[in-house]
Amino acid sequence: MTSVTWALADALGISPAPPNPRLAATLAGWWSRPRLIGCQSLKRDPNAPWFVLAPDPAVVCGGCLAERYPEERRCLYCHGHVAPEDEVALVYEMKTVTVVARAHEQCHESDVD
């Protein structure tokens, strides 16, 4: 999404919609509250790229994301454990934050229009 689109979204007080209503509601909730900084690297350098390893809404650096991603097996939608053979990897950009998550294939497919 371009910076012009984000500027327009900011001016109108809206967040651009992802591909399904449940995910849109989750991301809109994060958009509307102050960011929770979840690692020391970002506290030292707040200008570094920001990531969220959903469903945890804390913002982390790329190093923490890479370290935590193999262990985070919760579904973005239902928060249940996701087995490797049943997962869908999800990546969404929210302004300056990249959201990375896993979902059960059936949870994701049930919400995609």
Side-chain angles (χ1 to χ4, degrees), residues 20 22-23 75-82 86 88 90 102-112:
N20 65 67
R22 253 177 33 193
L23 185 53
C75 177
L76 177 62
Y77 299 100
C78 73
H79 296 197
H81 178 78
V82 179
D86 188 34
V88 174
L90 305 170
R102 286 183 165 88
H104 293 109
E105 189 172 359
Q106 67 271 19
C107 288
H108 181 65
E109 287 178 358
S110 70
D111 271 352
V112 175

Side-chain angles (χ1 to χ4, degrees), residues 3-24:
S3 59
V4 173
T5 305
W6 281 109
L8 179 60
D10 276 344
L12 297 175
I14 60 172
S15 58
N20 65 67
R22 253 177 33 193
L23 185 53

